[in-house]
Structures are given as structure tokens and as C-alpha cells.
């Protein structure tokens, strides 16, 4: 089984357009969108979700208001300023420049997509004189270190695993796809990437598919390392700009470090031929192969508008270039 990972060093180079076209050209590959912080392959491939799994990672502190005696030890010990002391109706969340909580029908609690409901509930409890003072953990600031749990004299702090995102197994018109969504502020995208790749490998084995195509994240951080480690080949899609050249150098250093064969493709190469040549010569110098060039073509935007891969539009110049890159890869 072969696993090709498409990365970019920097964002916005056309990596996902390339992946969508590869998916169309391969026909029978398993697809994995490992750009979990900002997944967008689904915008082109319009997947039908067949399976949905929670991704839990790390822990978060949640104060049980009924058991808290208000000693303030958690506030004093938290190094991340995640514990907040709310002073009932005097708190600026409820008065002063902000609108007071009218204890309506829990609209905020039901609609909050990022689990701020824990905080909202505690604030509501401390409002209306139900509880003059309350200590509450801001879930977006809590780093899950556990110090407050240890410091609380009455063990009033729960410490459950944190819901950080979801991952999905879907069907697309070009084959099965595993993809994910990290909740804003959710941590450990590298672990979620590993989960996505693992699920893609399992599907490939079950279906006896020989190829996995991975849409990797930008940058050179943890999520990229989790995307490329153990891959058969990495294709780096870059653009002929100074920042494209700079980020390509960093990402090729990474692939060299992990001993992964790397190829380079300059997208929109005709916008700066001199820079393209400079990039290709530098890539060769550090041991990467040149997979080809893709010219600037407004049909790429047209394909995006139509929710298609570029190669699905007939007779486009960029589509021809991508086919040539695919053949070489
Ligand atoms: S778990 Fe750590 S970061 Fe979170 S509130 Fe407690 S002390 Fe602060
Ligand atoms: S340490 Fe425990 S009892 Fe003290 S304020 Fe924090 S949650 Fe409440």
C-alpha cells in the first residue's frame, strides 16, 4: 500500500485543489483530509458522512458549583488565568456595560458550539442572588494541567477528558474519505491527524485499495509531522514567491530529517518564472525531485465555484498540468 501526502509549507498554494484532482485521477484511492485545523477538501468532494466519532484529548477542569466552598485556592494556583471569580450581579458579565442575564430560556447554553455552556451555567447560577460568588473555569483558557483539582480542599472540581473534535468516515464520488474537525481552540491536532490516517489505512486494507492520498496541513508543526511520518512520498505544492521558497526550504528539511522521498510542484509558476527556477534548483540541491509545474489558470477558481476538481472540467490548461504531475508522482 502506498501513501502519498500532499503538503505545502505555507497555506494558500493550491494544495487542496491538487489533492481533489489526484482523487479524481486515481479513481479508487482512500482519501484522508489531515488538515484538521482548517479542513476544506469536503467543499470540493461533498462527502456523505457514514460514520461520526468523537475525538477526546487532554482534560478540562469543571467546578461543581454545589460543592464549591469558595475558598479561592483554584484561582490562586492556576498559572493560566483560567479560573474566574464571578461576583454575582456586580460582575461585568451581567451588569455595567453588558446586558444583565434575564434568565430567559437558556438560549446561550443550548446554542453555544464550543462548550462555553459550563461557564455560562455557572455565571447564570451566580446571577440573581442564587450564589453571590462563584468560581468558574473558562474552558478556552484551561490547559488541563490538573493543579486546581489537586489544590481544591473539598474535591469540588471534575476533570473529564476534553471533547476536542470529531472525525468522520464518508463516501465521495471519488472514493471513501476520512476527515475531521477540530473544535476551535481544540488541542493536539497531531493526535487527531494520526487517528485520521489510522482510519484511512484500515479502510484501505478492508477494501484492498493500494493507494491513500492525504491532504496534509500547512506549516512544519506537530500536525505536519503526524501527516508525513512513514509516508511513501511527500509532494510539496508551493508558489513562486519569497515566502513560498522560504517555507518550502523548511518543509524539505523536515522530510529529509524523517527520510521521506519528496517531490516539488510549483503552482502558478508563470507568475514568476525566475523565482520558479530558483525554487526548483534549490529543491534539487537538497535532494527533492521536481514533479512538474502548474500554470496560473482561472479555471481553478471556476472549478472551486462549481465544487469540482480542476481535472473534472474539460480541456483546462491547469488540468493538463496536474495530470502530468500525477503521472510523474
Ligand atoms: S486544570 Fe490547570 S489550567 Fe485548567 S483551570 Fe485547573 S489549574 Fe487552571
Ligand atoms: S479550590 Fe475548590 S472549593 Fe476552593 S474555590 Fe476552587 S473549586 Fe471552590
Amino acid at each position: 500500500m502506498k501513501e502519498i501526502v500532499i503538503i505545502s509549507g505555507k497555506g494558500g498554494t493550491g494544495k487542496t485543489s491538487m489533492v481533489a484532482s489526484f482523487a479524481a485521477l486515481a479513481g479508487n484511492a482512500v482519501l484522508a483530509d489531515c488538515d484538521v485545523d482548517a479542513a476544506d477538501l469536503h467543499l470540493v468532494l461533498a462527502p456523505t458522512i457514514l460514520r461520526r466519532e468523537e475525538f477526546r484529548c487532554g482534560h478540562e477542569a469543571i467546578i461543581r458549583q454545589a460543592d464549591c466552598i469558595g475558598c479561592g485556592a483554584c484561582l490562586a494556583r492556576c498559572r493560566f488565568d483560567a479560573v474566574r471569580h464571578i461576583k454575582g450581579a456586580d460582575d461585568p458579565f451581567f451588569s455595567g456595560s453588558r446586558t444583565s442575564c434575564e434568565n430567559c430560556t437558556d438560549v446561550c447554553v443550548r446554542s453555544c458550539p464550543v462548550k462555553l455552556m459550563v461557564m455560562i451555567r455557572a455565571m447564570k447560577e451566580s446571577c440573581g442572588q442564587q450564589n453571590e460568588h462563584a468560581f468558574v473555569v473558562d474552558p478556552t483558557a484551561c490547559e488541563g494541567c490538573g493543579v486546581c483539582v489537586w489544590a481544591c480542599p473539598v474535591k469540588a472540581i471534575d476533570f473529564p477528558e476534553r471533547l476536542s473534535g470529531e472525525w468522520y468516515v464518508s463516501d465521495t464520488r471519488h472514493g471513501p474519505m476520512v476527515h475531521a474537525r477540530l473544535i476551535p481552540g481544540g488541542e493536539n491536532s497531531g493526535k487527531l491527524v494520526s487517528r485520521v490516517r489510522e482510519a484511512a489505512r484500515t479502510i484501505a486494507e478492508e477494501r484492498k485499495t493500494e493507494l491513500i492520498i492525504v491532504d496534509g496541513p500547512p506549516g512544519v508543526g506537530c500536525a505536519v509531522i503526524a501527516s508525513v511520518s512513514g509516508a511513501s512520498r511527500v509532494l510539496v505544492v508551493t508558489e513562486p514567491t519569497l515566502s513560498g521558497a522560504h517555507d518550502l526550504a523548511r518543509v524539505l528539511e523536515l522530510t529529509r530529517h524523517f527520510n521521506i522521498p519528496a517531490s516539488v510542484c510549483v503552482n502558478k509558476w508563470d507568475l514568476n518564472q525566475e523565482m520558479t527556477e530558483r525554487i526548483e534548483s534549490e529543491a534539487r540541491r537538497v535532494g527533492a525531485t521536481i514533479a512538474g509545474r502548474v500554470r496560473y489558470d482561472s479555471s481553478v477558481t471556476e472549478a472551486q465555484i462549481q465544487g469540482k476538481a480542476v481535472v473534472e472540467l474539460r480541456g483546462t490548461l491547469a488540468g493538463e498540468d496536474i495530470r502530468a504531475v500525477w503521472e510523474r508522482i
Side-chain angles (χ1 to χ4, degrees):
M1 187 192 305
K2 287 194 163 51
E3 199 174 8
I4 297 172
V5 184
I6 293 90
I7 54 175
S8 60
K10 73 183 278 295
T13 62
K15 167 179 63 71
T16 300
S17 293
M18 189 78 78
V19 173
S21 286
F22 281 6
L25 293 167
N28 193 29
V30 175
L31 313 169
D33 189 351
C34 288
D35 192 356
V36 297
D37 285 287
D40 55 2
L41 191 56
H42 62 279
L43 298 175
V44 183
L45 299 183
T48 306
I49 295 176
L50 305 176
R51 191 173 135 210
R52 182 187 292 259
E53 302 277 349
E54 283 184 351
F55 171 67
R56 291 188 177 271
C57 186
H59 291 263
E60 65 182 321
I62 300 172
I63 295 172
R64 292 191 309 279
Q65 297 301 318
D67 297 327
C68 172
I69 57 170
C71 70
C74 51
L75 180 74
R77 300 291 177 100
C78 179
R79 295 176 63 188
F80 301 98
D81 291 332
V83 180
R84 198 180 148 76
H85 186 192
I86 295 166
K87 302 178 192 78
D90 294 335
D91 192 86
F93 268 87
F94 301 105
S95 59
S97 59
R98 302 194 189 214
T99 310
S100 295
C101 174
E102 295 291 338
N103 202 14
C104 61
T105 50
D106 281 342
V107 171
C108 52
V109 175
R110 280 187 280 112
S111 61
C112 178
V114 287
K115 283 185 58 93
L116 283 171
M117 63 279 280
V118 174
M119 193 171 177
I120 293 166
R121 275 207 194 98
M123 288 193 290
K124 279 163 62 63
E125 279 174 29
S126 69
C127 177
Q129 311 307 317
Q130 290 174 39
N131 185 359
E132 267 185 28
H133 296 267
F135 289 85
V136 37
V137 176
D138 177 351
T140 58
C142 175
E143 291 285 330
C145 67
V147 165
C148 58
V149 180
W150 169 81
C152 178
V154 291
K155 304 292 169 225
I157 305 179
D158 290 334
F159 200 47
E161 270 199 311
R162 184 196 293 264
L163 179 67
S164 298
E166 285 186 324
W167 61 274
Y168 320 94
V169 176
S170 299
D171 243 348
T172 76
R173 62 187 181 282
H174 299 307
M177 175 163 107
V178 186
H179 49 128
R181 181 177 158 271
L182 205 62
I183 286 173
E187 287 192 29
N188 216 330
S189 50
K191 197 171 170 189
L192 183 53
V193 164
S194 299
R195 188 71 52 85
V196 167
R197 282 183 74 196
E198 201 180 293
R201 276 195 214 114
T202 305
I203 293 170
E205 276 163 17
E206 283 168 3
R207 301 194 181 197
K208 302 197 182 335
T209 305
E210 287 302 311
L211 182 63
I212 299 173
I213 299 174
V214 178
D215 186 2
V220 288
C222 168
V224 178
I225 293 169
S227 297
V228 301
S229 56
S232 316
R233 179 163 290 274
V234 163
L235 172 66
V236 189
V237 179
T238 189
E239 60 179 22
T241 61
L242 206 55
S243 60
H246 174 263
D247 291 352
L248 173 71
R250 292 168 61 204
V251 96
L252 289 180
E253 206 178 318
L254 185 85
T255 55
R256 271 204 317 283
H257 177 81
F258 286 101
N259 242 336
I260 306 161
S263 300
V264 171
C265 168
V266 182
N267 191 21
K268 304 178 205 165
W269 71 269
D270 46 343
L271 296 185
N272 190 337
Q273 185 165 352
E274 193 187 327
M275 180 59 84
T276 298
E277 282 160 12
R278 197 170 126 191
I279 285 173
E280 289 179 343
S281 130
E282 182 57 21
R284 279 195 201 93
R285 192 187 68 76
V286 297
T289 59
I290 305 305
R293 297 173 174 181
V294 177
R295 71 197 92 176
Y296 175 79
D297 184 355
S298 58
S299 65
V300 175
T301 309
E302 184 54 37
Q304 284 170 346
I305 291 167
Q306 292 187 30
K308 289 183 175 172
V310 189
V311 296
E312 289 178 293
L313 299 188
R314 282 168 181 247
T316 64
L317 297 173
E320 272 175 36
D321 293 343
I322 293 173
R323 274 175 210 277
V325 172
W326 170 247
E327 290 302 325
R328 272 184 218 116
I329 288 291

